[in-house]
Amino acid sequence: MKCDVCDSNKVTVESNSILYGKQYGTGKCFYCHDCGASITQATGGHPKGKMASKNTRILRKTCHNLFDPIWKYEMKISRSNAYKKLANKLGIEKQDCHFSLFQTDMCLKAISVISEENWWMK
């Protein structure tokens, strides 16, 4: 596997404690030994998205923190419809609209959209 950030071949499966200090989820991640980018390993052993730098991982978490409450806790829209609306606003296909696929530029665009009050209704 090549790194999505620096194109290095020095990507290995590691304990995700390398990132968090303890294991979460599957306990594994793909980690680039050249630039430090990573992505969680899914249960089936494949990457759960695109590798991201530490800054991009922070932006992805920010996206989730803004996005998830509207479907998860407030139940104002279904998760699927929320991603569909976001994809439309970002000008991308719905299948490409997941934060684990976003790099910095798309995270920043998404944050701009989902920071607006009732963005999914507009």
Side-chain angles (χ1 to χ4, degrees):
M1 176 175 169
K2 279 192 161 199
C3 178
D4 295 313
V5 176
C6 74
D7 212 31
S8 170
N9 286 320
K10 294 181 183 173
V11 175
T12 58
V13 175
E14 301 286 345
S15 165
N16 63 15
S17 64
I18 197 170
L19 303 171
Y20 309 118
K22 66 179 186 174
Q23 288 189 341
Y24 288 95
T26 63
K28 300 289 183 187
C29 70
F30 292 89
Y31 182 79
C32 176
H33 293 274
D34 279 342
C35 74
S38 67
I39 188 66
T40 301
Q41 183 183 44
T43 304
H46 59 277
K48 216 172 181 178
K50 292 189 180 222
M51 296 185 73
S53 67
K54 183 176 182 178
N55 287 340
T56 301
R57 290 193 306 272
I58 291 167
L59 289 172
R60 288 176 180 178
K61 185 172 179 161
T62 300
C63 287
H64 274 294
N65 289 342
L66 292 168
F67 182 86
D68 290 353
I70 66 160
W71 67 267
K72 204 175 208 180
Y73 308 115
E74 299 166 19
M75 295 184 226
K76 295 184 177 182
I77 189 172
S78 72
R79 181 177 185 255
S80 179
N81 281 338
Y83 272 113
K84 183 178 178 181
K85 293 266 188 179
L86 180 58
N88 187 26
K89 291 185 175 289
L90 295 174
I92 61 176
E93 296 295 320
K94 186 180 179 227
Q95 68 265 15
D96 298 326
C97 190
H98 195 278
F99 302 125
S100 68
L101 299 175
F102 290 3
Q103 294 297 356
T104 300
D105 60 335
M106 193 58 76
C107 285
L108 292 171
K109 288 178 187 175
I111 289 168
S112 176
V113 169
I114 59 183
S115 292
E116 292 182 26
E117 188 173 348
N118 298 323
W119 64 268
W120 63 94
M121 297 173 75
K122 298 175 184 173

